[in-house]
């Protein structure tokens, strides 16, 4: 297995190299310290896996490097190993073309498993990243559903989101309480809400 490793800290590269060589004695590892070297090496040779950080000053960010590499070598799997929590960059990394995302505090066995998984052509997603992706998909789906609300329903939606009651909304719009309750029912049905709390939280 040939691995290209990118991180701006020598001690981190040495640590990862040690872990991978312990688990795969015949592994070949080339390491670089910045995005420019990463892009250059990635394009120049064939790699089974690229392991990279996101923050590697100076030059391009790791995310930009991933995008550029995937354009040139779309079949090369990339595993992101970052100090940043998944909530900050995981989704961006996956959308940029990465096959997996890990934080640097992961256990040795998880790093090895992640490397082997992406090398086999699969995605490696930790439970936290899976949760983030599911949340993102739900949010995206509901964003699409919002576009299906009528103009009046959107208006009532915005008012409900501020915490106004149906009675207050009816008075503000000079409509009957029953009419606003009907609009509220349609909004809940179309958006999949079960309570005002869910609506306000989403908004």
């Amino acid at each position: 297995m040939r691995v290209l490793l990118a991180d701006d800290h020598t001690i981190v590269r040495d640590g990862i190299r040690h872990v991978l060589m312990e688990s795969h004695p015949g592994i070949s590892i080339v390491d670089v310290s910045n995005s420019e070297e990463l892009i250059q090496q990635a394009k120049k040779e064939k790699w089974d896996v690229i392991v990279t950080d996101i923050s590697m000053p100076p030059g391009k960010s790791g995310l930009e490097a991933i995008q550029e590499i995937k354009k040139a070598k779309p079949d090369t799997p990339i595993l992101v190993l970052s100090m940043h929590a998944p909530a900050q960059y995981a989704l961006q990394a996956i959308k940029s073309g990465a096959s997996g995302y890990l934080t640097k505090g992961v256990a040795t066995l998880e790093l090895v498993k992640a490397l082997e998984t992406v090398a086999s052509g699969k995605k490696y997603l930790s439970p936290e990243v899976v949760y983030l992706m599911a949340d993102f998909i739900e949010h995206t789906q509901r964003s699409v559903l919002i576009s299906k609300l009528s103009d009046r329903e959107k208006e009532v939606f915005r008012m409900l989101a501020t915490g106004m009651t149906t009675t207050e909304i009816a008075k503000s719009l000079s409509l009957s309480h029953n009419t606003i309750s009907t609009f509220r029912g349609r909004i809940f049905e179309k958006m999949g809400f079960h309570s005002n709390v869910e609506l306000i939280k989403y908004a």
Side-chain angles (χ1 to χ4, degrees), residues 97-118:
S99 296
Y101 188 100
L102 292 175
T103 55
K104 289 181 179 176
V106 297
T108 299
L109 288 178
E110 187 173 0
L111 172 57
V112 173
K113 181 181 177 182
L115 185 86
E116 293 172 345
T117 301
V118 300

Side-chain angles (χ1 to χ4, degrees), residues 55-104:
S55 304
M56 293 183 291
K60 297 181 179 181
S61 71
L63 292 176
E64 291 173 314
I66 291 170
Q67 291 169 3
E68 189 167 336
I69 291 168
K70 293 302 285 188
K71 284 180 182 178
K73 297 287 186 73
D75 296 330
T76 302
I78 300 174
L79 175 64
V80 173
L81 187 61
S82 173
M83 64 177 286
H84 300 289
Q88 293 177 278
Y89 288 109
L91 290 181
Q92 292 180 57
I94 300 299
K95 287 164 69 177
S96 294
S99 296
Y101 188 100
L102 292 175
T103 55
K104 289 181 179 176

Side-chain angles (χ1 to χ4, degrees), residues 15-157:
I16 296 172
R17 176 186 287 275
H18 176 74
V19 168
L20 298 183
M21 292 187 77
E22 282 276 306
S23 61
H24 296 78
I27 198 169
S28 172
I29 302 173
V30 172
D31 61 272
V32 295
S33 61
N34 59 64
S35 296
E36 299 306 321
E37 291 179 345
L38 168 61
I39 294 169
Q40 183 181 6
Q41 287 289 339
K43 290 181 177 180
K44 187 168 66 174
E45 299 184 42
K46 180 176 173 57
W47 305 96
D48 293 306
V49 183
I50 293 174
V51 181
T52 182
D53 192 1
I54 283 181
S55 304
M56 293 183 291
K60 297 181 179 181
S61 71
L63 292 176
E64 291 173 314
I66 291 170
Q67 291 169 3
E68 189 167 336
I69 291 168
K70 293 302 285 188
K71 284 180 182 178
K73 297 287 186 73
D75 296 330
T76 302
I78 300 174
L79 175 64
V80 173
L81 187 61
S82 173
M83 64 177 286
H84 300 289
Q88 293 177 278
Y89 288 109
L91 290 181
Q92 292 180 57
I94 300 299
K95 287 164 69 177
S96 294
S99 296
Y101 188 100
L102 292 175
T103 55
K104 289 181 179 176
V106 297
T108 299
L109 288 178
E110 187 173 0
L111 172 57
V112 173
K113 181 181 177 182
L115 185 86
E116 293 172 345
T117 301
V118 300
S120 70
K122 300 175 183 177
K123 301 282 187 187
Y124 185 86
L125 304 174
S126 67
E128 188 173 0
V129 174
V130 170
Y131 171 80
L132 289 169
M133 291 188 72
D135 194 50
F136 172 76
I137 291 169
E138 180 183 358
H139 180 82
T140 302
Q141 288 174 335
R142 280 190 166 161
S143 294
V144 172
L145 293 176
I146 283 179
S147 67
K148 295 183 178 180
L149 298 181
S150 69
D151 290 341
R152 181 63 87 180
E153 287 167 351
K154 288 176 184 174
E155 188 174 18
V156 173
F157 173 85

